[in-house]
Amino acid sequence: MIGITSKIHDRKTLEFKIGYQVPEGTDYSDFEMATWIFIPEALDVNRHTYPREKFYHDMLSYMRLITPVYTLEKLALSSELPYQLLEKACQSIASQPTEQDKEEYEKEIKSYASIFKSSLRDTCKQLVVEAAEELPGHTQRMVEHIHHILDNYRSLQTTLQSKGPDASLLVYFTYGDEFLVNVTEQHLFKMLTRLKKERPTVYEEILPIVSPLLDDNKRYSLKHGYMLPQQDCADDNAQFVYHAGQLKKYIESHLYLPTHKRRNAVFLEQLVFSLAAGLSMVFATVISFAFQQTYGNFTLPFFMALVISYMFKDRIKELVRNYFANRLNSKIFEYRIDINVDDLKVGWCKEGVDHITFAKTNPKARKIRNRHSPLVIGRGTEEQVIFYRKKIHLNRESVSMMSAYPLQGINDIIRYNLSDYMHKMDNPQVPLCVNNGNGRLDMVQGSKVYYLNFVFRLRDGHNSLYRRYRVCLTSVGIHNITEIE
């Protein structure tokens, strides 16, 4: 199974998360991802101004395990696996724990906190679109579950203190506790902010249910010295943002998979370059032999023929080399990424990118792009198309061996910076005149926007999934991203 989500990571960067789920009962699974980026001609982004090297410079991709899925209701139960594994790890930290005990203890803290974050995020997203009559009851149950989860986690601190581990081990537990506080506030505030904007009546009904939990979190944070954002802060809460970011990276570090990226098909590439050198040498040798037979050695015509043949030899070598290189790059993958955890081979990924014409784009991708407006196609100009593709191979047994949790697969998180697309855009604001009648004219500002279209094709065996996203951007950044059905 394959799924994809999108969001704006920052002002100039898009983020796509593609989930590759390895089904039970299979030894390995192969997945394919193809992406067509349709670019307006006016942006002047093409193979001459935006070569492959720039694309890879703007693209950041990393692999991480899919967080085990638990509902808040299940996570609140002490009989469920997340709490059981965490409790066991805490109990193993005796006065003289082994290095393996320490590693397992730290890993389970990270796992428990990461699962809580994902569960709370999914719950809050669901509640935002919940029916008004059901929302208060479901919100109340969510708050109760969060209380149980936090209480269960903090109760283990007594177990740790009774066993008397060194202070460095208690720091790990404190990091997990602070992270739980941060993500609780983060996702509850996001939910309340969206409800206040989109459903103000429902917001007024939900606020009294959620506020006590937020107030408890604040008192708890102040008591334990955790950092909190401040209303009037001299450094604009820079220290809090930095600390929260470091904490997030630490807690989720166990999910990220180490990768090793290298050039793909190096032998074939060198073979092609050798063939190019051989063909050019054949040309130079034939010309030399022909003039030698006709004019003999040490003659002016033979000397001129040698010089000219070597001039053409170098040009022929470069032409043949570039021809085969371009043909190969459009057929094979440029890079191979090995996914290994210590000695465990989880799988591999191959990627490649090329500029193609609109006519050579996949027919279904062209249809999904839906480029039929006479305003666009009537000018005789075509969109530029970047074709980015990946192939992923995953070993089911290796994925299962990486955790005691039932892992589903991996997420491929792709961040794509669009700064190079914005260099030649017009000013983001355009002055406009509004006629209010009776000779009354007012000046207003209009936004000058451009649209990029991303069409994804995701393949899992014989099944294909297509998705289209339209990105609205200006010269100062991304305005929004919308999935087009």
Side-chain angles (χ1 to χ4, degrees):
M1 295 176 61
I2 310 179
I4 181 171
T5 58
S6 66
K7 71 174 185 179
I8 299 174
H9 177 71
D10 59 38
R11 190 163 55 93
K12 295 186 178 181
T13 306
L14 295 173
E15 179 175 300
F16 297 98
K17 181 189 291 185
I18 300 97
Y20 302 102
Q21 298 186 24
V22 186
E24 295 282 354
T26 58
D27 294 331
Y28 61 87
S29 294
D30 288 313
F31 306 92
E32 293 181 12
M33 182 200 73
T35 308
W36 293 271
I37 307 174
F38 297 89
I39 309 163
E41 183 77 20
L43 298 186
D44 194 32
V45 176
N46 52 56
R47 67 173 65 250
H48 305 294
T49 62
Y50 192 68
R52 294 185 181 92
E53 292 75 16
K54 274 194 173 184
F55 178 87
Y56 285 117
H57 178 267
D58 293 337
M59 177 74 68
L60 173 64
S61 177
Y62 50 91
M63 305 281 186
R64 55 170 283 177
L65 295 170
I66 296 178
T67 307
V69 179
Y70 286 86
T71 63
L72 283 179
E73 182 180 6
K74 284 194 172 183
L75 193 59
L77 299 175
S78 58
S79 58
E80 286 292 324
L81 186 62
Y83 182 81
Q84 291 290 316
L85 291 175
L86 179 61
E87 184 182 36
K88 181 181 177 182
C90 290
Q91 290 175 347
S92 68
I93 303 298
S95 55
Q96 293 181 337
T98 64
E99 286 301 318
Q100 185 177 356
D101 290 334
K102 294 179 181 179
E103 291 176 4
E104 195 66 24
Y105 161 75
E106 187 178 4
K107 178 182 176 182
E108 293 306 330
I109 289 175
K110 294 178 180 180
S111 297
Y112 191 85
S114 299
I115 293 172
F116 173 71
K117 176 192 172 183
S118 296
S119 301
L120 181 57
R121 177 198 62 206
D122 295 342
T123 302
C124 289
K125 285 182 178 180
Q126 180 62 35
L127 287 177
V128 168
V129 296
E130 195 82 63
E133 61 272 12
E134 297 180 353
L135 186 55
H138 288 174
T139 303
Q140 183 63 50
R141 282 191 288 274
M142 177 192 70
V143 170
E144 291 172 359
H145 297 326
I146 293 173
H147 273 300
H148 287 144
I149 292 168
L150 296 177
D151 290 343
N152 286 343
Y153 182 87
R154 292 163 184 168
S155 67
L156 295 174
Q157 188 168 7
T158 305
T159 303
L160 287 172
Q161 291 172 341
S162 66
K163 292 182 176 293
D166 58 66
S168 63
L169 295 178
L170 286 173
V171 167
Y172 299 143
F173 192 87
T174 303
Y175 286 158
D177 189 29
E178 186 175 4
F179 182 80
L180 295 179
V181 171
N182 285 354
V183 296
T184 298
E185 293 199 346
Q186 174 190 351
H187 290 293
L188 290 182
F189 277 135
K190 280 184 177 180
M191 183 187 75
L192 291 173
T193 302
R194 186 172 169 185
L195 285 174
K196 185 177 183 179
K197 179 180 179 181
E198 300 175 3
R199 306 167 70 183
T201 305
V202 176
Y203 165 78
E204 295 295 336
E205 192 175 357
I206 296 303
L207 185 60
I209 302 175
V210 178
S211 291
L213 173 59
L214 294 173
D215 293 340
D216 287 345
N217 262 5
K218 182 178 181 179
R219 285 191 291 270
Y220 184 85
S221 296
L222 292 173
K223 178 181 177 181
H224 290 81
Y226 297 159
M227 294 184 68
L228 291 171
Q230 303 295 325
Q231 187 78 35
D232 298 309
C233 186
D235 66 348
D236 293 328
N237 291 298
Q239 288 298 318
F240 172 80
V241 173
Y242 175 80
H243 180 71
Q246 294 298 106
L247 195 61
K248 178 179 180 293
K249 290 178 182 178
Y250 169 75
I251 292 296
E252 297 183 350
S253 61
H254 72 293
L255 296 173
Y256 290 93
L257 299 173
T259 58
H260 173 64
K261 187 173 183 177
R262 55 189 170 88
R263 294 284 300 183
N264 187 47
V266 176
F267 175 77
L268 181 59
E269 184 181 66
Q270 294 304 315
L271 184 63
V272 167
F273 292 165
S274 298
L275 178 62
L279 289 175
S280 64
M281 191 62 190
V282 168
F283 170 80
T285 304
V286 168
I287 296 296
S288 300
F289 283 174
F291 273 78
Q292 187 179 35
Q293 290 294 326
T294 303
Y295 298 103
N297 294 327
F298 308 110
T299 62
L300 182 60
F302 177 63
F303 173 76
M304 294 177 63
L306 282 177
V307 174
I308 293 173
S309 67
Y310 274 95
M311 289 169 57
F312 277 96
K313 178 183 79 73
D314 289 340
R315 292 302 90 212
I316 291 172
K317 177 181 176 181
E318 286 301 315
L319 287 173
V320 174
R321 175 174 174 166
N322 290 335
Y323 173 78
F324 280 112
N326 289 329
R327 298 284 291 183
L328 280 176
N329 284 334
S330 63
K331 300 296 182 183
I332 65 174
F333 296 96
E334 295 172 280
Y335 291 100
R336 176 188 173 103
I337 304 167
D338 293 315
I339 310 170
N340 299 326
V341 179
D342 297 328
D343 296 329
L344 190 63
K345 296 182 178 180
V346 180
W348 50 259
C349 169
K350 295 180 181 179
E351 63 178 349
V353 67
D354 199 18
H355 291 267
I356 62 175
T357 62
F358 189 83
K360 291 184 178 180
T361 305
N362 176 279
K364 189 164 184 180
R366 288 204 307 266
K367 183 179 179 181
I368 293 173
R369 166 63 186 92
N370 194 27
R371 189 171 181 260
H372 299 309
S373 171
L375 291 173
V376 178
I377 64 177
R379 299 180 303 160
T381 59
E382 286 192 351
E383 289 181 317
Q384 299 294 319
V385 183
I386 293 178
F387 180 42
Y388 176 61
R389 60 202 183 277
K390 274 189 173 184
K391 185 173 183 179
I392 296 94
H393 175 90
L394 294 178
N395 186 309
R396 173 68 206 183
E397 183 180 358
S398 297
V399 172
S400 300
M401 291 173 61
M402 295 180 63
S403 174
Y405 292 98
L407 297 177
Q408 297 179 342
I410 66 171
N411 282 326
D412 183 12
I413 300 174
I414 299 173
R415 291 178 182 170
Y416 189 36
N417 187 281
L418 301 178
S419 297
D420 283 313
Y421 289 75
M422 302 173 188
H423 291 325
K424 298 183 180 180
M425 289 183 176
D426 294 337
N427 290 330
Q429 295 295 322
V430 179
L432 300 173
C433 183
V434 177
N435 185 352
N436 293 313
N438 298 323
R440 291 183 294 111
L441 304 177
D442 288 327
M443 297 299 296
V444 297
Q445 293 293 324
S447 295
K448 176 66 174 179
V449 300
Y450 299 81
Y451 293 100
L452 299 180
N453 283 272
F454 288 73
V455 175
F456 288 85
R457 182 189 66 197
L458 307 174
R459 280 183 174 173
D460 172 12
H462 301 291
N463 302 317
S464 295
L465 172 69
Y466 283 84
R467 289 287 184 270
R468 175 188 168 194
Y469 296 92
R470 186 173 67 182
V471 181
C472 177
L473 64 161
T474 69
S475 60
V476 295
I478 301 168
H479 187 262
N480 61 55
I481 177 171
T482 307
E483 183 174 358
I484 307 297
E485 298 293 340

